[in-house]
Amino acid sequence: MTPILTTLAPGLLEAGSRLIDRLVPDPAEREKAKLALLQAEGQLALQEMQTSLSAILAEANSADPWTSRVRPTFLYVIYGVILLCVMGAIMGIWWPTHVFQAAENLNKLLGAVPESLWWLFGAGYLGYTGARSFDKWRGQAR
């Protein structure tokens, strides 16, 4: 099923149901038509689920180790940063001036990065995740 039809399907199915109510006078035939419409909706939902699952499986079975480990690696980096912050706080008990100086230096270092580079990083990261999500939605995960 095409992506545009998948997006429009709920509205089309509702409109189709109303159209059936208006165009089919026989109650038995009307119910048959509505049942066929509901079956089509169920098939559409099944196809969407199969597409999503195939994208997830394709990513998990990828020969490229980076593909299946990019999210966990990012989380490990974040966990490391949190752990360093906790360790810095504990070290601050014995060496408060050193920890304060390190934090001030880090703040100055990050503050020296131009704002436009932070925006570029954010746009690139969001663009990458958006493109990956779009590929998965279309069933073309790599």
Side-chain angles (χ1 to χ4, degrees), residues 3-127:
I4 190 73
L5 188 56
T6 303
T7 304
L8 297 176
L12 290 175
L13 293 172
E14 184 180 326
S17 179
R18 281 187 265 146
L19 193 61
I20 289 171
D21 285 339
R22 290 183 183 167
L23 296 178
V24 180
D26 182 29
E29 288 296 318
R30 186 180 313 137
E31 292 305 313
K32 279 185 186 177
K34 284 186 178 182
L35 181 61
L37 193 62
L38 286 173
Q39 287 174 339
E41 183 180 14
Q43 287 291 358
L44 178 65
L46 181 62
Q47 285 177 349
E48 286 180 19
M49 190 179 305
Q50 286 174 335
T51 301
S52 296
L53 287 175
S54 68
I56 291 168
L57 289 174
E59 185 175 298
N61 294 329
S62 174
D64 180 14
W66 184 249
T67 301
S68 60
R69 294 183 176 254
V70 87
R71 285 186 208 96
T73 302
F74 179 74
L75 287 176
Y76 295 148
V77 169
I78 296 302
Y79 294 155
V81 169
I82 292 170
L83 182 61
L84 284 174
C85 289
V86 169
M87 288 173 35
I90 292 170
M91 288 176 23
I93 295 170
W94 294 284
W95 302 286
T97 56
H98 292 71
V99 172
F100 179 76
Q101 186 63 48
E104 190 175 313
N105 290 345
L106 182 60
N107 189 23
K108 287 180 183 177
L109 179 68
L110 292 176
V113 176
E115 187 177 349
S116 58
L117 285 180
W118 290 113
W119 281 103
L120 179 64
F121 170 76
Y125 193 78
L126 290 175

Side-chain angles (χ1 to χ4, degrees), residues 120-138:
L120 179 64
F121 170 76
Y125 193 78
L126 290 175
Y128 169 76
T129 55
R132 293 277 297 150
S133 297
F134 185 71
D135 281 348
K136 287 180 182 182
W137 177 66
R138 287 183 26 211

